[in-house]
C-alpha cells in the first residue's frame, strides 16, 4: 500500500479564529509545521499549537522563515549563507524547546515562503539550511520541494528528507511553484486539488501550468491553512486518498530516502 504524509503550516494566526482553524485542520493532517516567530507566530502561539499537536498525536515540525512579518515571509530577502544558518538554528530551537517542555519532540523542519523557495534553487542556501537542521538534531527530517536543491543538500549531509508536493498549487515546468502573482497559481477547487494530489502519489506526476507532465516524488503533501476553504480541501483530500487506496501516515513512520 502506498503511503503519504499530510502536512499543514500552523501557528501563523495568534487570534482565537486562528486557533480554531488550526484545531479543525489537525483532525485531517498527520504533521504540522509551527511558525517560529519570524514571519508569524509568537511564544504563546507556539506553546498553544504544540500542545494541540501533542493532543492529536501529530508530528511536530519547525517552520522557520524570514524576519518579515509585514510580508508574511513571502518577500525575497538577501542574506549570506551563514546568516541563513543562524536564523534557522534560532527558530528551530524555539519550537524544539516548546515541544520538549510539554513532553513531546520535534520531528522535522520545513522552511517557509521565500526562504523555502530560495533554498529550493540556491545550492549555497540549501547547504546552510541542511547544515542547521543537522547540527541541531541529525535525526530530524528535512521537508523540501520535491527534487529540489534543498532535498539534495539534506541527503548529502545525512538527513532523512521528505519530498514535498502541493495539492493546492500550480507548477512550472522546472518543478517550481507558480508565483502567487499569476492567476490560477492557487487551486481553490477542492476536487481539483484532491485529484492533483492523488495523481502525484499514484503516478508520480503533475500537469504544469503549460500543460506538460512533470515527474516528481511524493513523500508529503502540503495543505495551506490560509487557502480559502482549507478545511474543505483537507476533508476532500483525505477522502480521495482513501478511495485511491493510499494510506495517510506521519512522515516519521514512512520509509524515506
Amino acid at each position: 500500500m502506498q503511503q503519504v504524509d499530510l502536512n499543514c503550516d500552523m501557528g501563523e494566526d495568534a487570534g482565537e479564529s486562528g486557533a480554531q482553524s488550526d484545531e479543525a485542520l489537525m483532525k485531517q493532517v498527520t504533521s504540522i509545521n509551527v511558525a517560529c516567530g519570524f514571519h508569524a507566530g509568537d511564544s504563546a502561539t507556539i506553546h498553544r499549537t504544540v500542545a494541540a499537536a501533542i493532543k492529536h498525536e501529530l508530528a511536530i515540525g519547525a517552520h522557520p522563515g524570514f524576519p518579515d512579518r509585514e510580508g508574511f515571509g513571502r518577500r525575497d530577502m538577501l542574506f549570506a549563507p551563514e546568516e541563513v544558518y543562524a536564523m534557522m538554528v534560532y527558530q528551530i530551537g524555539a519550537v524544539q524547546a516548546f515541544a520538549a517542555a510539554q513532553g513531546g519532540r520535534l520531528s522535522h523542519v520545513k522552511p517557509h515562503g521565500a526562504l523555502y523557495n530560495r533554498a529550493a534553487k540556491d545550492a549555497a542556501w540549501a547547504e546552510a539550511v541542511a547544515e542547521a537542521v543537522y547540527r541541531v538534531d541529525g535525526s530530524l527530517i528535512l521537508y523540501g520541494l520535491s527534487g529540489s536543491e534543498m532535498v539534495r543538500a539534506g541527503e548529502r549531509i545525512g538527513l532523512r528528507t521528505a519530498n514535498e508536493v502541493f495539492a493546492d498549487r500550480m507548477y512550472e515546468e522546472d518543478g517550481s511553484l507558480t508565483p502567487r502573482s499569476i492567476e490560477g497559481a492557487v487551486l481553490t477547487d477542492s476536487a481539483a486539488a484532491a485529484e492533483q494530489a492523488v495523481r502525484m502519489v499514484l503516478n508520480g506526476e503533475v500537469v504544469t501550468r503549460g500543460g506538460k507532465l512533470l515527474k516528481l516524488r511524493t513523500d508529503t503533501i502540503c495543505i495551506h491553512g490560509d487557502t480559502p476553504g482549507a478545511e474543505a480541501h483537507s476533508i476532500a483530500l483525505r477522502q480521495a486518498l482513501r478511495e485511491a487506496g493510499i494510506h495517510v501516515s506521519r512522515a516519521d513512520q514512512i520509509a524515506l530516502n
Side-chain angles (χ1 to χ4, degrees), residues 124-191:
W125 277 44
E127 293 288 348
V129 166
E131 184 177 0
V133 176
Y134 184 80
R135 295 296 181 186
V136 171
D137 183 349
S139 73
L140 295 173
I141 301 169
L142 175 59
Y143 284 31
L145 185 66
S146 184
S148 67
E149 288 289 346
M150 187 156 51
V151 169
R152 288 190 285 272
E155 291 173 346
R156 283 194 297 271
I157 205 169
L159 291 169
R160 287 187 296 163
T161 58
N163 284 270
E164 183 179 39
V165 300
F166 293 79
D168 59 0
R169 292 296 303 275
M170 186 177 292
Y171 279 79
E172 298 297 290
E173 291 176 14
D174 64 355
S176 64
L177 301 178
T178 299
R180 288 174 177 266
S181 58
I182 295 177
E183 185 177 356
V186 178
L187 305 184
T188 57
D189 180 78
S190 295

Side-chain angles (χ1 to χ4, degrees), residues 2 8 26 28 32 39 42 44 64 72 78 80 94 102 109 123 130 132 142 155 172 177-178 180 228 234 248 254-255:
Q2 288 186 268
C8 187
M26 283 185 186
Q28 305 301 328
I32 69 163
H39 75 278
D42 54 33
F72 197 63
L78 295 178
Q102 299 181 73
V109 176
L142 175 59
E155 291 173 346
E172 298 297 290
L177 301 178
T178 299
R180 288 174 177 266
S234 66
V248 176
I254 296 174

Side-chain angles (χ1 to χ4, degrees), residues 32-53:
I32 69 163
N33 320 304
V34 185
C36 308
F38 272 38
H39 75 278
D42 54 33
S43 57
T45 306
I46 296 172
H47 175 77
R48 178 201 79 206
T49 307
V50 167

Side-chain angles (χ1 to χ4, degrees), residues 10-58:
M10 295 190 178
E12 295 177 325
D13 183 346
E16 183 62 30
S17 61
Q20 293 173 352
S21 177
D22 282 356
E23 280 272 1
L25 285 166
M26 283 185 186
K27 297 175 182 178
Q28 305 301 328
V29 301
T30 48
S31 301
I32 69 163
N33 320 304
V34 185
C36 308
F38 272 38
H39 75 278
D42 54 33
S43 57
T45 306
I46 296 172
H47 175 77
R48 178 201 79 206
T49 307
V50 167
I54 291 173
K55 180 182 73 174
H56 288 283
E57 299 183 344
L58 304 177

Side-chain angles (χ1 to χ4, degrees), residues 70-92:
E70 182 179 347
F72 197 63
R74 287 178 174 156
R75 298 184 297 190
D76 203 11
M77 304 179 77
L78 295 178
F79 292 99
E82 55 267 28
E83 294 175 300
V84 173
Y85 172 90
M87 73 173 69
M88 287 286 299
V89 171
Y90 184 97
Q91 294 179 78
I92 295 168

